[in-house]
Structures are given as structure tokens and as C-alpha cells.
């Protein structure tokens, strides 16, 4: 019984790393994704090309590979900057990789959402003497959010589970921890990790549904 | 005195000349109907007036001030376009109400944003906002929607949405209110209520330009009529002149075709 308690404790601790990675990735990748989406819609051709290439490269290669390149890259290329030593460095590198990766996915969702708003909305704003930024924030944004909520929700749920990939650069996340027990012949901790993810995703799903209902008062 | 004078306006998309040598003027309080077949450039003309498109040629004068001249770049500064747009209001064919705002908020939003630029906004915030809301309520009463203030656009009919759009345009007190086929996205039984609102505006001497396919309405309401075809103004005059005694062959043909279609549908 004691052993169960210890294991659950350690699993919970390691799941905290998944949670932190999840939260930080969302915090930074959502705004960064918005910037990238603006870039990829820019009328300035080089910027648009650059952003679309970035999105292609990032979406076109495995996140696992990106994690390794971002973590080992600076050292292997003998750049002047390398990640801080120890767990901090591993975690920061993982966060950077996740943020870039998810920002690119989000940027495409945002771009699709923004482009799906009828031009008439923008023109109605112009004719009423609004500035471009007033039109974006007061007219377009909420309609975009309503439209992209389902695909963003999908990405967010995928992110929860993707956080486990951080183990590839030796972040002690929950599956890695459970794996250590299973190599000692103990299988239930692996199943237990599944419950952590299920509960987390369950709570997220409830929150996303709530948001969707909140925005149900109007139709686009 | 002419509120609006358009001189020699031209607009091309690539090699397609959509507007050519557009010349007309509008007196204060006058309502002008623009008729013409599909693709003749009516929408483009309204879009040019509202600075949604930039004409390649010609000039636009409002209250004797040149607000656009294709030959004079100083009249085309991006920074001034926004203010100049406010001379005009535009009611779109498909309303373009803001779906996330109530009927009342649709009408007040732009005025509220503009008020924030006023120098006395900070001191008089409350009074200014109340005034804007009162005016919006008056306008919505005028278009018969006092009982819909708190509804969202998807809850009301197309005809009601278009009436909100009219109130929204009026809220900024434009010198000239433009309508682009305000009833053609509506079911036939809903056009009447919108046309009635526009008729009332005409009776109150609102200066208006109405692009429409409703010939009877144009004849009834307009002080003057312009017939356009293939980007040019073929004929303009009083409704009697244009509808009853058209001089140009193209006008005759257009009206004949229209009359025949109408007889068919009866
Ligand atoms: N953005 C654009 N690019 C290219 N051509 C355009 C564009 N907008 C309009 N046109 C063309 O300009 C011509 C005039 O179009 P416009 O919409 O002004 O006609 P309209 O008189 O309003 O017709 P309708 O009665 O069908 O509304 C058409 O031949 C149209 O195809
Ligand atoms: Mg048109």
C-alpha cells in the first residue's frame, strides 16, 4: 500500500511537468500564432513567403525531431548560446520547441478563421468610419474566435498528449516515469498515467463546451 | 447648392472599363435613383463614392470641397480617407450587420468609437454616450424597430435587418446616404417595409442615392433618375423624362425588357 502511495505521488509530480509545459505552450503559442497568421496574410511578399515557409517546415517535420534539433542543435553546432545545464535547460528547450510548433498550427487556424469572415463585415466597418484596428478588435475578432473554437479545441487536446514527447530530451514527464516502473515489471502505473490524461482532457472538454455555449448567443 | 458633384469619373479593372465619364450632381435634399442592367457599374459607382474603390479618373466634390481628385495626390491621403468617408453612408445589399451586437449596439457602435476621438470625451463621457444612445433609439423608432433593441441580428427578419442597417447608416448623419439594391436580398413580402422606410426618408428630404431594380419605386420616390449601361450614364432626368419619354434607344430597350419581364411574372 505504501508503495502505491509513493508511486502515485511520483506520477503526480511528473505530471506537473506535462501541465506546466501545456500551460506555457498555450500562453505563448496563441499570440505568436496570431502574429504568424498576420505575417502569412501580409501584402508584403517576402514576409508572407517567409511565414508560409516557416509554417511548412514546422508542420512538415515531426515535433520529436524539432525537440531534438532545438535541444542538441546549439551544442552540436558549437553556437555561443547553449541551454542552461540540467532539468531547467531541458524544460526551456522543450517549451521553445512546443511554442514554435503549436504557433504554426494555430496560425493556420487563425488565418482560415480570419479569411472566412465575409468581406462585407470589414467594409461595413470602413464605411462607418472605423479604423482597421477597431474593425479587427470590435467587429472581426469575436466572430473569428467563435469560428475557430472547435479546431483550436482539437489542437489544445492534442497538445495535452503531445507534452509526453518532451521525454525525448529527457524531461521527466509522466509516461517516462511510468515507463521506469514498467521496466521493473510493474504495469499498473502505465494505466494510471492514462487516467491522468483522460481526466485532464475531460476537464478541458467541459471548458471548451462551456466557451462554445457562451458564444452561442450570436450566429456568424 | 450641390451637395455632391462627380466629374468625369472613370474606373477600370485591368482592361475592363467599368465606369467611364461619370458626370452628375446632387442637390441637398434630393433623392437620385440609379437604374441599369446587371454589370453596368452601379455598385462600383457607389463603392467609389464611399472610398471602397479608388477611381482612376475624375473628381468628387462634397459641399464645394474637392474630396477626391485622381490628378491630385494630396486629396488621396490614406490618413484622411476615414474622415472623408463620413460624408457618405452606405446601405449594403446584404445588410452586413455585426452579428455579435444587439440591434441597438449595431447602431451606436461606430458613433461611440468616433466620440472617443473628441477632445471633450473624457469630461463629458456619460452625456455623450447617453446622447448617442438616445439618437439610436430615435432612429430605430423611426424605422419601426423600437421593440427589437435587444435582439441580435439573427433573431430578426431580413427586412428588419435592413432597417437596422439604415438606422446604423443614419446614426453618423452622412451628407449623402447611398443604397445598393437595398431590397434585392429580401423575400418579396419583405421589400415593402424597407421601401416604406426609404420613402419616408425621401419625404423628409434626406439626400440619397438609391441603386435599385424596383422601377415603380424609383419613379415614385426619386427626384431624378440616372440610367447606366456598360459603365456610362446613358440618360438622366426627372422620373417622367426617363421612364415615360426616354430619349435614348438603350434606355427604351432596358425599360421595355423590364416591362416585359414584369408582365410575364404577373
Ligand atoms: N473587383 C473587381 N474586379 C474585376 N471586375 C470587377 C470587380 N468588381 C466589379 N467588376 C466588374 O465590373 C462590372 C460592373 O460591376 P458592378 O458590380 O458595379 O455592376 P452592377 O451594375 O452593380 O451590377 P448588379 O446589378 O448585378 O449589381 C462588372 O462587369 C463586374 O464584373
Ligand atoms: Mg450591384
Amino acid at each position: 500500500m505504501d508503495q502505491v502511495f509513493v508511486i502515485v505521488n511520483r506520477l503526480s509530480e511528473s505530471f506537473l511537468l506535462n501541465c506546466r509545459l501545456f500551460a506555457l505552450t498555450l500562453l505563448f503559442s496563441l499570440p505568436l500564432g496570431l502574429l504568424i497568421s498576420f505575417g502569412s496574410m501580409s501584402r508584403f511578399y517576402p514576409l508572407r513567403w517567409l511565414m508560409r515557409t516557416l509554417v511548412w517546415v514546422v508542420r512538415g517535420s515531426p515535433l520529436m525531431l524539432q525537440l531534438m534539433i532545438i535541444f542538441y542543435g546549439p551544442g552540436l553546432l558549437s553556437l555561443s548560446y547553449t541551454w542552461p545545464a540540467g532539468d531547467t535547460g531541458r524544460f526551456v528547450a522543450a517549451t521553445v520547441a512546443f511554442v514554435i510548433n503549436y504557433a504554426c498550427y494555430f496560425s493556420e487556424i487563425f488565418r482560415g478563421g480570419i479569411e472566412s469572415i465575409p468581406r462585407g463585415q470589414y467594409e461595413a466597418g470602413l464605411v462607418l468610419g472605423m479604423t482597421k484596428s477597431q474593425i479587427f478588435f470590435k467587429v472581426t475578432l469575436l466572430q473569428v474566435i467563435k469560428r475557430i473554437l472547435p479546431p483550436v479545441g482539437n489542437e489544445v487536446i492534442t497538445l495535452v498528449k503531445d507534452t509526453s514527447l518532451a521525454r525525448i530530451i529527457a524531461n521527466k514527464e509522466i509516461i517516462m516515469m511510468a515507463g521506469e516502473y514498467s521496466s521493473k515489471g510493474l504495469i499498473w502505473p502505465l494505466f494510471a498515467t492514462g487516467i491522468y490524461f483522460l481526466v485532464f482532457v475531460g476537464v478541458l472538454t467541459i471548458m471548451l463546451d462551456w466557451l462554445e455555449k457562451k458564444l452561442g448567443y450570436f450566429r456568424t | 447648392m450641390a451637395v455632391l458633384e462627380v466629374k468625369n469619373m472613370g474606373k477600370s479593372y485591368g482592361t475592363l472599363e467599368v465606369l467611364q465619364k461619370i458626370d452628375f450632381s446632387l442637390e441637398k435634399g434630393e433623392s437620385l435613383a440609379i437604374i441599369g442592367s446587371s454589370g453596368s457599374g452601379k455598385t462600383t459607382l457607389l463603392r467609389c463614392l464611399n472610398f471602397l474603390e479608388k477611381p482612376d479618373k475624375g473628381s468628387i466634390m462634397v459641399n464645394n470641397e474637392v474630396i477626391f481628385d485622381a490628378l491630385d495626390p494630396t486629396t488621396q491621403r490614406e490618413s484622411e480617407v476615414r474622415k472623408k468617408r463620413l460624408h457618405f453612408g452606405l446601405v449594403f445589399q446584404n445588410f452586413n450587420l455585426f452579428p455579435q451586437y444587439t440591434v441597438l449596439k449595431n447602431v451606436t457602435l461606430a458613433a461611440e468609437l468616433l466620440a472617443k476621438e473628441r477632445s471633450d470625451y473624457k469630461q463629458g463621457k456619460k452625456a455623450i454616450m447617453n446622447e448617442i444612445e438616445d439618437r439610436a433609439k430615435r432612429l430605430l423608432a423611426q424605422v419601426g424597430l423600437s421593440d427589437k433593441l435587444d435582439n441580435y441580428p439573427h433573431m430578426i427578419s431580413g427586412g428588419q435587418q435592413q432597417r437596422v442597417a439604415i438606422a446604423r447608416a443614419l446614426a453618423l448623419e452622412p451628407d449623402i446616404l447611398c443604397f445598393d439594391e437595398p431590397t434585392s436580398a429580401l423575400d418579396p413580402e419583405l421589400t415593402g417595409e424597407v421601401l416604406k422606410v426609404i420613402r419616408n426618408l425621401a419625404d423628409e428630404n434626406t439626400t440619397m442615392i438609391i441603386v435599385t431594380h424596383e422601377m415603380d419605386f424609383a419613379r415614385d420616390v426619386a427626384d431624378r433618375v440616372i440610367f447606366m449601361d456598360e459603365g456610362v450614364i446613358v440618360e438622366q432626368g426627372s422620373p417622367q423624362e426617363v421612364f415615360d419619354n426616354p430619349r435614348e434607344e438603350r434606355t427604351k430597350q432596358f425599360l421595355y425588357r423590364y416591362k416585359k419581364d414584369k408582365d410575364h411574372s404577373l
Side-chain angles (χ1 to χ4, degrees):
Chain A
M1 208 54 225
D2 252 10
Q3 195 208 10
V4 171
F5 189 77
V6 170
I7 293 175
V8 167
N9 229 345
R10 296 197 61 187
L11 287 180
S12 302
E13 262 170 39
S14 55
F15 193 61
L16 224 56
L17 186 138
N18 298 72
C19 294
R20 264 168 39 222
L21 184 54
F22 170 83
L24 287 171
T25 302
L26 273 193
L27 184 68
F28 292 112
S29 65
L30 285 169
L32 182 63
L34 192 61
L35 288 181
I36 296 176
S37 78
F38 286 149
S40 67
M41 290 184 289
S42 165
R43 265 183 290 177
F44 181 56
Y45 181 75
L47 179 63
R48 194 173 72 218
W49 184 86
L50 194 72
M51 288 304 138
R52 295 207 174 178
T53 308
L54 172 73
V55 170
W56 169 60
V57 170
V58 171
R59 291 201 309 173
S61 59
L63 174 53
M64 196 186 283
L65 180 64
Q66 290 162 20
L67 278 160
M68 293 167 76
I69 289 177
I70 285 178
F71 183 58
Y72 297 119
L76 293 177
L77 296 171
S78 4
L79 300 185
S80 55
Y81 179 84
T82 49
W83 301 106
D87 288 349
T88 319
R90 298 172 190 288
F91 183 75
V92 175
T95 308
V96 168
F98 270 82
V99 166
I100 294 173
N101 185 276
Y102 272 81
C104 285
Y105 279 96
F106 284 137
S107 80
E108 282 298 279
I109 295 176
F110 296 158
R111 187 167 68 85
I114 292 169
E115 285 175 350
S116 77
I117 303 300
R119 204 169 162 70
Q121 290 288 307
Y122 178 72
E123 291 182 344
L126 284 183
V127 169
L128 291 167
M130 295 186 198
T131 63
K132 281 182 184 168
S133 84
Q134 284 172 340
I135 296 172
F136 180 75
F137 287 108
K138 300 281 179 183
V139 176
T140 320
L141 186 60
L142 197 62
Q143 298 181 45
V144 173
I145 291 176
K146 183 180 166 90
R147 287 200 183 190
I148 65 176
L149 200 57
V152 166
N154 256 337
E155 287 303 320
V156 170
I157 286 172
T158 306
L159 171 60
V160 179
K161 296 167 291 177
D162 273 359
T163 53
S164 275
L165 288 173
R167 64 181 293 187
I168 201 69
I169 52 175
N171 277 287
K172 294 193 189 73
E173 56 78 42
I174 188 166
I175 295 185
M176 181 151 169
M177 190 59 72
E180 279 172 20
Y181 289 109
S182 69
S183 58
K184 288 178 205 154
L186 211 54
I187 192 66
W188 71 261
L190 266 184
F191 286 100
T193 52
I195 294 173
Y196 282 85
F197 284 102
L198 280 174
V199 169
F200 197 124
V201 169
V203 172
L204 272 181
T205 307
I206 290 169
M207 282 164 59
L208 286 166
D209 284 352
W210 176 80
L211 252 180
E212 209 166 314
K213 278 216 189 70
K214 269 297 245 199
L215 291 175
Y217 73 90
F218 72 93
R219 295 213 191 115
T220 56
Chain B
M1 187 192 82
V3 185
L4 172 68
E5 250 176 287
V6 176
K7 285 193 190 136
N8 196 31
M9 190 158 80
K11 169 79 189 167
S12 308
Y13 291 113
T15 54
L16 181 69
E17 288 198 69
V18 178
L19 294 175
Q20 296 173 57
K21 300 200 184 80
I22 300 293
D23 267 300
F24 69 93
S25 65
L26 192 62
E27 300 293 315
K28 194 167 167 50
E30 210 177 25
S31 47
L32 167 70
I34 301 182
I35 60 172
S37 50
S38 187
S40 54
K42 306 178 299 292
T43 297
T44 309
L45 174 55
L46 291 189
R47 290 175 61 84
C48 284
L49 293 179
N50 283 276
F51 293 87
L52 293 176
E53 305 284 348
K54 196 165 132 194
D56 311 314
K57 293 181 192 148
S59 65
I60 302 171
M61 256 188 356
V62 172
N63 297 327
N64 285 329
E65 181 200 349
V66 178
I67 63 164
F68 177 86
D69 186 339
L71 297 175
D72 182 359
T74 60
T75 64
Q76 301 171 26
R77 288 194 202 105
E78 201 54 44
S79 56
E80 288 163 25
V81 164
R82 196 164 65 90
K83 283 272 139 63
K84 288 174 178 175
R85 277 201 181 98
L86 295 175
H87 289 298
F88 297 90
L90 178 59
V91 174
F92 298 84
Q93 192 170 341
N94 49 356
F95 336 133
N96 291 330
L97 293 184
F98 305 133
Q100 73 268 45
Y101 293 120
T102 61
V103 162
L104 181 61
K105 186 75 180 179
N106 261 280
V107 179
T108 57
L109 179 67
E112 285 169 5
L113 293 173
L114 283 169
K116 289 187 180 152
E117 295 168 28
R118 280 165 56 165
S119 53
D120 59 347
Y121 178 71
K122 280 238 160 61
Q123 302 97 288
K125 187 173 170 182
K126 193 122 201 206
I128 291 173
M129 289 300 175
N130 283 339
E131 193 187 307
I132 289 172
E133 189 172 316
D134 288 345
R135 192 168 68 230
K137 285 180 176 164
R138 264 203 315 279
L139 287 167
L140 285 165
Q142 198 182 328
V143 299
L145 291 174
S146 289
D147 55 337
K148 302 288 183 195
L149 300 185
D150 298 323
N151 285 40
Y152 288 90
H154 75 270
M155 301 170 165
I156 59 178
S157 73
Q160 291 169 333
Q161 288 186 47
Q162 190 60 300
R163 286 187 276 152
V164 176
I166 294 171
R168 181 175 73 171
L170 286 169
L172 298 182
E173 302 176 327
D175 295 314
I176 301 138
L177 184 54
C178 306
F179 295 85
D180 189 7
E181 300 189 32
T183 59
S184 50
L186 296 175
D187 291 338
E189 69 267 25
L190 298 177
T191 59
E193 60 188 67
V194 173
L195 294 182
K196 194 173 133 214
V197 165
I198 302 174
R199 192 185 302 262
N200 288 341
L201 290 175
D203 291 344
E204 292 164 15
N205 294 325
T206 311
T207 315
M208 298 188 287
I209 303 178
I210 311 160
V211 168
T212 183
H213 286 296
E214 304 272 345
M215 297 304 153
D216 299 330
F217 176 74
R219 176 205 289 263
D220 246 31
V221 167
D223 300 305
R224 231 144 38 76
V225 178
I226 282 180
F227 168 66
M228 283 180 70
D229 193 30
E230 296 188 340
V232 298
I233 294 180
V234 176
E235 184 159 355
Q236 55 177 312
S238 70
Q240 289 73 30
E241 284 166 346
V242 175
F243 285 111
D244 301 335
N245 297 301
R247 278 164 294 156
E248 301 290 330
E249 197 52 38
R250 279 196 273 179
T251 321
K252 286 178 196 164
Q253 274 173 15
F254 172 77
L255 292 171
Y256 176 74
R257 245 183 304 141
Y258 169 77
K259 191 166 171 300
K260 212 171 66 181
D261 287 350
K262 197 179 152 199
D263 290 346
H264 262 294
S265 63
L266 285 181

